[in-house]
């Protein structure tokens, strides 16, 4: 209980110190970081998995997941400007609720960010393999999938993780600039898909609209229908929380964070619904439901091989923006937890030349590359969603607690109808968690039980090394 009651007080790190992050990012960088994180695997690859669960109703799945994420994004925007420090939901929970809850949230964020990077790397591998095959350079199947999928290792997924980690190590502003260029390429490619596929649009492809119902189960007892797809597709929307991890590197966080968080969510929701509707209307969803590159497959089926090659090339070039955003966020979560003493402090070292936590970035890359090399996409995405749902619940709760605890505090951004938006975000996330596969829920609980054991052991070690009780 003492750990639960111990709350963090935010204090600025001295400029030039070994734990100080440089302020190099403007609102444009953050907006591009958010769009780069959000528009990626969800629309390039998970649209096929979602259609397999919900049929044409996958469009509703995108809308439901987007609405819940918009509510969470509003909560993030308010809390992030009140607590402009790196660490995202972990830091907010530590400041508002207490250390024990912050640990659980941080531990869940470690799961989320690591698995997101792994999942996107697997999705990128599928597009890279498809693109290379389309230009006459097929890769052996054994190096395109892990053991669970009949291969040896997903080598392209491993390679892209280390390539992006190397870019991040060069510097935050440099990697953010490259990210912005790649985001433009990615959006342009999606517009090409809509223009090429829209003429084939047929209303008959939307019938039956809900073949598996709104909430249902398959023959194997696994969840199916709109909400089951929304629980997976939710993975496609939540890149905006990576923006909040950049709070200490934003030039004007009180202005830049709300623009980045809310702007990226609004833009991406519109893009997602438009592309999903075009995909469903162009050909029967059963054709691409199991494809690792559904948009390119749709274009090839419609007789647009050149456009399909372009989509594949754009995905190969631009999907790494998602990896970049989440690997950036993951390294900052690790960095702040280490700086707070909840992980070994040696991990919180910043490179003097680049101003980035190179050591923790490369350590994170090793872990996620291993996951990407051996784990199937669908299992990664579902488990990553569980960690994010907890983080969104925590941030929405922090917003409501601060509204009650400090009603007169300065709020650069105020969430409209906070006592509606907050509960909708919390209840919506709880419902999506309940819609995840049971195996995912159980593994998530096991992960956090293991995390609490690690937390207890680390607190005991700190207490012994300090020779006195921990500060309360």
């Amino acid at each position: 209980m003492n750990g639960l009651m111990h709350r963090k007080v935010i204090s600025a790190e001295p400029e030039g110190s070994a734990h100080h992050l440089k302020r190099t990012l403007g609102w444009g960088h953050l907006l591009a970081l958010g769009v780069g994180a959000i528009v990626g695997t969800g629309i390039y690859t998970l649209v096929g998995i979602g259609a397999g669960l919900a049929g044409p109703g996958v469009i509703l799945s995108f809308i439901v997941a987007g609405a819940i994420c918009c509510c969470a994004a509003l909560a993030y925007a308010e809390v992030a400007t009140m607590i402009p420090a790196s660490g995202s939901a972990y830091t907010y929970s530590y400041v508002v609720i207490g250390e024990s809850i912050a640990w659980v949230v941080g531990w869940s964020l470690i799961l989320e960010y690591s698995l997101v990077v792994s999942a996107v790397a697997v999705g990128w591998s599928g597009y890279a393999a498809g693109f290379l095959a389309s230009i006459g350079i097929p890769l052996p199947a054994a190096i395109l999938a892990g053991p669970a999928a009949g291969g040896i290792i997903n080598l392209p997924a491993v390679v892209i993780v280390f390539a992006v980690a190397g870019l991040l190590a060069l510097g935050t502003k440099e990697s953010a600039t490259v990210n912005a260029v790649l985001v433009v390429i990615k959006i342009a490619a999606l517009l090409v898909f809509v223009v090429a596929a829209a003429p084939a649009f047929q209303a008959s492809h939307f019938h039956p609209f809900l073949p598996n119902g709104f909430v249902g189960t398959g023959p194997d007892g696994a969840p199916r229908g709109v909400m089951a797809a929304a629980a997976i597709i939710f993975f496609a929307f939540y890149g905006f929380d990576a923006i909040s991890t950049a709070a200490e590197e934003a030039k004007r966080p009180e202005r830049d964070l709300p623009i980045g968080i809310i702007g990226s969510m609004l833009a991406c929701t519109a893009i997602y619904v438009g592309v999903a509707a075009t995909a469903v209307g162009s050909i029967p969803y059963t054709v691409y439901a199991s494809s690792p590159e559904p948009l390119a497959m749709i274009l090839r089926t419609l007789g647009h091989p050149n456009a399909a090659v372009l989509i594949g090339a754009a995905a190969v070039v631009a999907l790494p923006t998602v990896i970049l955003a989440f690997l950036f966020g993951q390294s900052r979560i690790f960095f702040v937890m280490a700086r707070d003493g909840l992980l070994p402090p040696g991990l919180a070292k910043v490179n003097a030349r680049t101003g980035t936590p190179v050591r923790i970035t490369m350590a994170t890359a090793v872990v996620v590359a291993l996951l990407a090399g051996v784990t199937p996409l669908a299992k990664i995405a579902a488990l990553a969603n569980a960690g994010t749902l907890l983080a969104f619940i925590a941030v929405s709760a922090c917003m409501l607690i601060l509204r009650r605890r400090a009603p007169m505090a300065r709020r650069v951004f105020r969430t409209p109808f906070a006592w509606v938006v907050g509960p909708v975000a919390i209840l919506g996330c709880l419902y999506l968690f309940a819609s995840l596969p049971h195996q995912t829920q159980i593994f998530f609980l096991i992960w956090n039980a293991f995390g609490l054991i690690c937390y207890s052991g680390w607190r005991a070690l700190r207490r012994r090394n300090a020779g006195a009780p921990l500060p309360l």
Side-chain angles (χ1 to χ4, degrees):
M1 189 68 176
N2 288 333
L4 178 64
M5 299 304 294
H6 171 53
R7 299 204 303 266
K8 176 180 177 179
V9 176
I10 297 295
S11 59
E13 288 290 331
E15 192 163 343
S17 75
H19 306 297
H20 176 263
L21 297 169
K22 294 181 180 179
R23 293 194 179 277
T24 58
L25 303 179
W27 66 265
H29 290 115
L30 296 183
L31 185 61
L33 184 70
V35 173
I38 298 170
V39 177
T41 301
I43 202 63
Y44 277 98
T45 58
L46 286 184
V47 66
I49 295 173
L53 292 170
V58 70
I59 296 171
L60 283 182
S61 303
F62 274 103
I63 293 173
V64 169
I68 294 171
C69 282
C70 280
C71 289
L74 290 170
Y76 263 88
E78 178 170 320
V79 179
T81 52
M82 293 184 73
I83 309 173
S86 282
S88 187
Y90 156 75
T91 296
Y92 310 149
S93 300
Y94 205 160
V95 172
V96 178
I97 303 175
E99 183 179 287
S100 294
I101 298 300
W103 170 271
V104 172
V105 172
W107 191 252
S108 297
L109 285 172
I110 289 172
L111 182 73
E112 170 202 342
Y113 281 72
S114 298
L115 295 183
V116 167
V117 174
S118 301
V120 177
V122 172
W124 179 87
S125 176
Y127 268 94
F131 172 69
L132 290 174
S134 71
I135 60 174
I137 312 176
L139 295 178
I143 64 166
L144 293 176
I152 298 173
I153 188 171
N154 195 325
L155 187 59
V158 173
V159 170
I160 192 60
V161 169
F162 281 111
V164 173
L167 176 61
L168 280 172
L170 292 177
T172 300
K173 186 173 182 179
E174 292 78 3
S175 55
T177 301
V178 172
N179 174 72
V181 174
L182 297 182
V183 164
V184 172
I185 295 173
K186 184 160 53 177
I187 300 302
L190 291 175
L191 291 176
V192 168
F193 169 78
V194 171
V195 171
F201 189 94
Q202 294 182 33
S204 60
H205 292 153
F206 287 84
H207 301 289
F209 188 65
L210 300 177
N212 299 317
F214 198 81
V215 179
T217 56
D220 58 353
R224 297 181 70 83
V226 169
M227 290 307 297
I232 301 298
I233 286 171
F234 174 79
F235 174 90
F237 280 96
Y238 56 67
F240 67 84
D241 66 337
I243 298 172
S244 64
T245 67
E248 288 184 32
E249 292 159 275
K251 294 177 181 177
R252 293 178 56 188
E254 69 283 353
R255 178 200 65 179
D256 300 339
L257 290 173
I259 293 176
I261 292 171
I262 298 172
S264 60
M265 265 304 303
L266 292 176
C268 293
T269 299
I271 292 169
Y272 274 15
V273 172
V275 172
T278 303
V280 171
S282 59
I283 64 174
Y285 73 93
T286 52
V287 175
Y288 58 86
S290 59
S291 173
E293 39 158 8
L295 300 189
M297 182 180 185
I298 288 171
L299 291 176
R300 285 195 293 269
T301 303
L302 293 175
H304 301 295
N306 292 334
V309 171
L310 178 62
I311 287 287
V316 169
V317 171
L319 272 184
T321 62
V322 186
I323 300 174
L324 186 148
F326 279 94
L327 195 58
F328 170 88
Q330 170 65 310
S331 65
R332 271 47 178 184
I333 296 293
F334 271 131
F335 171 79
V336 177
M337 292 182 74
R339 195 170 66 184
D340 289 343
L342 295 184
L343 290 175
L347 296 176
K349 289 274 288 185
V350 173
N351 183 277
R353 184 180 62 84
T354 64
T356 58
V358 174
R359 184 181 302 177
I360 195 63
T361 299
M362 300 313 296
T364 303
V366 171
V367 174
V368 298
L370 180 62
L371 287 170
V374 301
T375 313
L377 174 63
K379 293 184 181 297
I380 297 176
L383 188 54
N385 286 359
T388 308
L389 289 166
L390 178 61
F392 282 11
I393 291 170
V395 174
S396 300
C398 286
M399 179 189 71
L400 297 178
I401 291 170
L402 287 173
R403 283 292 182 103
R404 182 71 68 183
R405 181 188 295 163
M408 303 307 293
R410 180 173 178 266
R411 287 171 170 81
V412 178
F413 175 85
R414 288 185 69 91
T415 298
F417 308 106
W419 291 98
V420 174
V421 169
V424 166
I426 292 171
L427 294 175
C429 288
L430 287 172
Y431 192 93
L432 288 178
F433 184 85
S435 300
L436 288 171
H438 297 312
Q439 184 181 12
T440 299
Q441 297 168 352
I442 293 170
F443 189 88
F444 179 70
L445 294 176
I446 293 172
W447 168 260
N448 274 294
F450 175 66
L452 288 173
I453 293 172
C454 293
Y455 172 64
S456 299
W458 183 246
R459 277 180 59 84
L461 181 62
R462 285 193 300 165
R463 183 184 297 114
R464 188 184 67 185
N465 290 343
L470 290 169
L472 303 181

